[in-house]
Amino acid sequence: MTPIEKLLEALPSDIDAALITGGFNRRYLTGFPSSAGTLVLTRKKPVFIIDSRYYEGACKTIQGCEVLLQDKLYRQIGALLGDAGAKTVAVESEICTVKGLTTYRKELPDLELLEDNRLSDLLSLLRRIKTPQELEKMRKAQEYTDKTFTHILNYIKAGVTEKQIALELDVVGRKMGADQLAFVIVASGENSSQPHCTPSHRALEEGDFITLDFGFFVDGYCSDMTRTVALGPVSDRQRQVYETVRQAQEAAFANIRPGAVCREVDAAARNLIDASPFAGTFGHGLGHSLGMEVHEAPSFNPTCEVKLEPGMVLSVEPGIYLPGEFGVRIEDVIACTDDGFENLTKSSKELIVL
Ligand SMILES: [Mn+2]
């Protein structure tokens, strides 16, 4: 089944049509990347309305969905919905702005626009289970990330700045073939106690821990990996923190299988850290889903009751953060399988001392 067929099959019967304008959702459903466009889904036929900048490309790429050149958008939407006999129309509550909704109301006065979350929730539910094709793109994105990490180990030395490392990661990953950097965090020395520190002009010094957290996009899907490496020498306290984080990740892994509750996987890692001398220093959730976006649902955190299913892809990223000293985070991305999980991240987790 195509994503559009899956969505139409799962769409509640009291919803006659769906208007989809969210960029990630559009791409998920049509396979076509664009910065504009409206997907009009009715049970009669799916139609993608797109302007002339993308029209030719959309016609060549999109299958199983009619492509219509945008002219008078609201008139076209109205005609398609009228033709399908659609009265109740869902919009993406997480995407549609107040202005967008007001315009739909004004331009399409005969329709009943539904203000509930069902369409957005349904798309999120569909997107959380990755197909083998989606998984293959994520493996590829992770492969570029692993290879770029290997490269950067030879680049890191005293005097190099965080910003220079961030740029090198970006350039090398794209030279290898990644489409673009998804994001990059380089946090060194005392900066590494801030989980999401922005790369700065700080130059690396001996004794630093350096946390590298980054990912790439490949064909619309992203990777995400964190490693903390050391520029020697390493203190006993640094080693102790590093090993505790590594054990916390192992504790989480031991609990990852289909049916496992996300909250309980988080607890496995959190309890280990809280039983160590570093109790209370792991402030964020253990992990998040990813796919077309770097952060998707569900998440490993203290409150998420979702049960893991094969095809879900989540990060597992415990950390210990000691303000004024340093921080450590280790992050892999796993795909839940029928009997456990596949670790998409291949880079070593032994403490690397450069
Ligand atoms: Mn992450």
Side-chain angles (χ1 to χ4, degrees), residues 183 196 213-214 223-226 286-290 294-295 315-317 329 331-333:
F183 66 92
H196 274 199
D213 182 354
F214 63 105
S223 54
D224 187 359
M225 176 178 92
T226 307
L286 176 69
H288 53 90
S289 292
L290 61 158
V294 179
H295 293 100
S315 69
V316 182
E317 48 180 310
R329 180 167 63 258
E331 174 182 31
D332 288 357
V333 168

